[in-house]
Amino acid sequence: MEKLEGKTLDVVKDNVEKLQELFPEVFTEQKIDFEKLKLALGDRVQSEKERYEFTWNGKTEAIQMAQKQSTGTLRPCQEESVEWDTTQNLYIEGDNLEVLRLLQNSYRDKVKMIYIDPPYNTGKDFVYKDNFHNNIKNYTEMMEESYKSNAETNGRYHTDWLNMIYPRLKLAKSLLKDDGVIFVSIDDSEQSNLKKIMDEIFGEANFIASVTRNTNSAKNQAIFFSVSHDYCLVYAKNIGSLNVKYAENKWAVAKNNVNDYLRKIEELRNMNLSHDEITEELKQITKYPRFTDFVNYWYMDDKGVYQKDNLGGVKNGNIVTIMNPLTLKEDPIPPGGFRYSAEKLQQLIGEDRIHFHIDGSLPRLKRYLTDNLEQRPKSIMSDDQRPDYSLLKEFNTPFDNPKQLSFIKRLLSIFENDEIYLDFFSGSATTAHAVMDLNAADGGSRKFIMVQIPETTDEKSDAYKAGYKNICEIGKERIRRAGLKVKEENKDKDGLDNLDFGFKVFKLDETNLKTWDEDAEDIENNLLFFEGAVKEGRTQEDVLYEILLKYGIPLTVPMEEEKVGDITSFSVGFGYLVICLDKNLTTKNIEELVLHYPECKRMVFLDDGFASDEAKINAEQLLKRSGVDDIRVI
């Protein structure tokens, strides 16, 4: 029987195997011959001592942090979850570096889009210092201390931030699908450094855009400029795959604040204003930054609001004349002629799709807003944050500077509605809210994974006064209340019962198994410690989910507890894997398992779970004869 590996994915080993697949000739006795590798790469090898590179104190260790394996686990917390048995969503509480390591086996190459809003390093926000030897132990100790901000007076101000963000982005990349995309919000404090890091990790060729976001925040106390924007850097994992994926179906999003603009139009119509009066009002409204996407969508007729578009603009067009119904005269012909045939022009006139003038101007085509609600995502976006503050006030989940729900929904709406979306700086869990909102709108089955360190709330803050001791408590409660709100708002829609408003809560901890404990060498002389594989205080459910993580199975896979004869077993993924953690297993028990799960090819047992060495040997032979070819023990 093979021992189940207690550590997370070995990133270095994985990279070496990929290199060996590409260049088998450079390996000698499983070692890389760098001279041969240089020859294989030809003139692409950089040999000059002085060359362009981005480096800082601690970069080597940051790279090693991304490569380090972990024996940690995620412990299930059903009492804080919603719809535990059916949900496909995850909320994970813990240091995101360690969590990203733990997700490698189960979620590698499975996430469609990552959005994060990391600390901007403004001097006031918390920047977690990782520990190379045992990051989980370090994290546990930090939970008992007060969090400290990364003050600008710190001599390692930028360095600490760079060492924090680098390994996390490195691990995040491997979770993305080949056609996956990452969005990272930032401001001027670290924008230039973040751009260099992402160019290095994702590759300059995979850079898509730097989105400038108007935050609508006036800072009139500033001496020089009132900075009212931040950025969102966008990178593909593989721009080639992305180009192929969206060559025909290009990215599109709803125009910024389109629903608000449509509401404004409806308000004006209800005021019994004339079409010309509404036009003048809309010209004033679109001067505001949040409505700039609707400049020229000013004109009104009985069908709605439209903008005027060119009927000409072509070479060798149709030289035909059309009668202006307002002047009863022939209108001028655009230079180069009309882009439509005489028949098509008459059809457009009959449908009242042409805007005529009385001053001799060229006739124009009416393009209605309702036919053009989408656009290519713009590199300048504007969202009002006031609705988000109002929403969190309604939920009684106070949070400083929540990310705009409309902004996150716009990003998520670019992609397919049945993918996994990850946010490992979850904050108030806006991304989870956006996923549920969009699913309710289009019947999608998007799934979210939220990760957040339980940073304590300030005792003077509104959040603390409202009963929230840490940020995770705010995020989880916001998801619960958002789910109820979305349900209520969509209660008359068909298919609402099929939507997922739940989430499974997991909490980062050290391994449940003594034999996988990284600190086991410190107590290996204490023989009593090794009596039984499972640590005191850990449940069978804890162990089951650790097995899923180490085996590489998603944490939301269906799991069913069954009684088979005298023992208890767990069927994972409708029989994809069977786990039995009972003790004193006999040959009869194994025979009953085989009969109960005739199609199963994978089983996991406790290493000391068999009645004797002979029973263990017999069990292995029996399982292999029965077609179970993957037998693991822990």
Side-chain angles (χ1 to χ4, degrees), residues 10-279:
D10 188 336
V11 177
V12 174
K13 180 182 176 183
D14 185 60
N15 289 336
V16 170
E17 288 174 352
K18 289 176 181 176
L19 191 62
Q20 189 167 17
E21 187 177 337
L22 290 172
F23 304 107
E25 69 275 14
V26 308
F27 283 81
T28 303
E29 296 181 343
Q30 299 304 307
K31 300 292 184 182
I32 300 172
D33 186 327
F34 275 98
E35 294 305 317
K36 287 184 179 179
L37 182 58
K38 288 179 182 179
L39 289 173
L41 296 174
D43 59 4
R44 297 299 181 104
V45 177
Q46 177 65 268
S47 57
E48 290 84 0
K49 290 184 179 179
E50 292 186 3
R51 56 184 178 271
Y52 176 79
E53 63 178 330
F54 179 50
T55 189
W56 64 89
N57 182 20
K59 182 177 181 180
T60 298
E61 187 175 275
I63 294 171
Q64 292 171 337
M65 289 295 290
Q67 297 170 342
K68 188 178 183 296
Q69 292 178 272
S70 173
T71 58
T73 191
L74 300 175
R75 298 178 66 186
C77 184
Q78 286 201 41
E79 62 272 19
E80 296 181 20
S81 305
V82 176
E83 299 175 6
W84 174 273
D85 292 329
T86 57
T87 185
Q88 295 293 300
N89 301 316
L90 297 176
Y91 188 98
I92 303 174
E93 187 174 315
D95 164 33
N96 53 18
L97 176 62
E98 201 66 24
V99 172
L100 289 170
R101 288 189 185 122
L102 294 174
L103 295 179
Q104 292 296 312
N105 285 350
S106 298
Y107 292 93
R108 193 174 179 84
D109 302 319
K110 292 181 180 177
V111 175
K112 177 64 181 185
M113 187 266 246
I114 295 172
Y115 171 78
I116 57 171
D117 184 22
Y120 285 3
N121 208 23
T122 59
K124 298 178 181 178
D125 37 16
F126 162 72
V127 174
Y128 186 71
K129 292 181 177 64
D130 304 305
N131 181 293
F132 188 83
H133 173 63
N134 190 329
N135 210 46
I136 296 183
K137 188 174 183 180
N138 183 43
Y139 157 72
T140 305
E141 291 171 353
M142 286 292 294
M143 295 304 98
E144 300 170 0
E145 300 178 6
S146 296
Y147 289 85
K148 297 178 181 178
S149 61
N150 189 32
E152 292 185 58
T153 54
N154 175 13
R156 291 169 54 89
Y157 177 61
H158 290 290
T159 296
D160 285 346
W161 188 87
L162 291 165
N163 287 331
M164 180 276 296
I165 200 69
Y166 187 96
R168 287 162 173 81
L169 289 173
K170 189 77 174 174
L171 287 165
K173 179 185 177 183
S174 61
L175 295 177
L176 283 172
K177 298 176 69 172
D178 199 45
D179 59 4
V181 182
I182 184 169
F183 296 77
V184 184
S185 286
I186 199 69
D187 72 359
D188 283 318
S189 298
E190 297 291 353
Q191 191 271 350
S192 60
N193 286 331
L194 178 64
K195 179 72 167 62
K196 293 185 181 76
I197 283 181
M198 296 192 72
D199 279 345
E200 181 172 319
I201 293 175
F202 289 88
E204 292 182 40
N206 289 311
F207 172 69
I208 295 176
S210 175
V211 177
T212 301
R213 295 182 54 254
N214 180 3
T215 58
N216 297 299
S217 57
K219 300 175 182 176
N220 292 325
Q221 71 274 21
I223 298 174
F224 304 114
F225 280 88
S226 174
V227 178
S228 56
H229 72 279
D230 60 21
Y231 308 95
C232 186
L233 298 183
V234 188
Y235 281 77
K237 183 176 183 179
N238 184 330
I239 197 69
S241 296
L242 208 63
N243 284 332
V244 170
K245 177 87 173 181
Y246 298 102
E248 299 298 327
N249 186 24
K250 295 180 174 61
W251 284 10
V253 296
K255 286 183 165 68
N256 289 1
N257 305 307
V258 64
N259 290 329
D260 289 344
Y261 193 60
L262 291 172
R263 277 194 290 271
K264 291 284 186 183
I265 294 168
E266 192 60 28
E267 288 173 9
L268 293 173
R269 296 183 76 164
N270 291 335
M271 293 169 64
N272 295 318
L273 300 177
S274 69
H275 291 165
D276 289 342
E277 288 173 328
I278 290 177
T279 295

Side-chain angles (χ1 to χ4, degrees), residues 265-377:
I265 294 168
E266 192 60 28
E267 288 173 9
L268 293 173
R269 296 183 76 164
N270 291 335
M271 293 169 64
N272 295 318
L273 300 177
S274 69
H275 291 165
D276 289 342
E277 288 173 328
I278 290 177
T279 295
E280 293 306 312
E281 289 291 333
L282 295 180
K283 285 181 179 180
Q284 295 302 313
I285 289 172
T286 52
K287 290 180 180 178
Y288 292 99
R290 58 194 302 256
F291 290 133
T292 53
D293 281 352
F294 309 102
V295 169
N296 294 324
Y297 277 105
W298 299 326
Y299 304 96
M300 190 81 188
D301 66 13
D302 292 339
K303 294 179 183 177
V305 169
Y306 63 89
Q307 69 171 358
K308 297 187 290 186
D309 199 5
N310 203 343
L311 279 169
V314 294
K315 292 182 179 179
N316 303 318
N318 290 305
I319 308 299
V320 295
T321 58
I322 57 175
M323 183 68 68
N324 184 325
L326 302 178
T327 64
L328 301 179
K329 296 179 181 179
E330 291 182 350
D331 258 353
I333 299 171
F338 287 102
R339 63 175 63 236
Y340 299 113
S341 67
E343 292 78 10
K344 179 64 175 178
L345 287 170
Q346 291 304 317
Q347 178 186 335
L348 291 171
I349 292 171
E351 295 172 351
D352 193 21
R353 292 293 303 271
I354 293 182
H355 183 109
F356 290 98
H357 303 87
I358 60 174
D359 60 1
S361 299
L362 289 170
R364 305 294 295 275
L365 179 67
K366 296 180 180 180
R367 290 202 181 275
Y368 289 94
L369 176 58
T370 50
D371 295 330
N372 296 277
L373 298 177
E374 291 188 331
Q375 63 187 6
R376 206 71 63 239

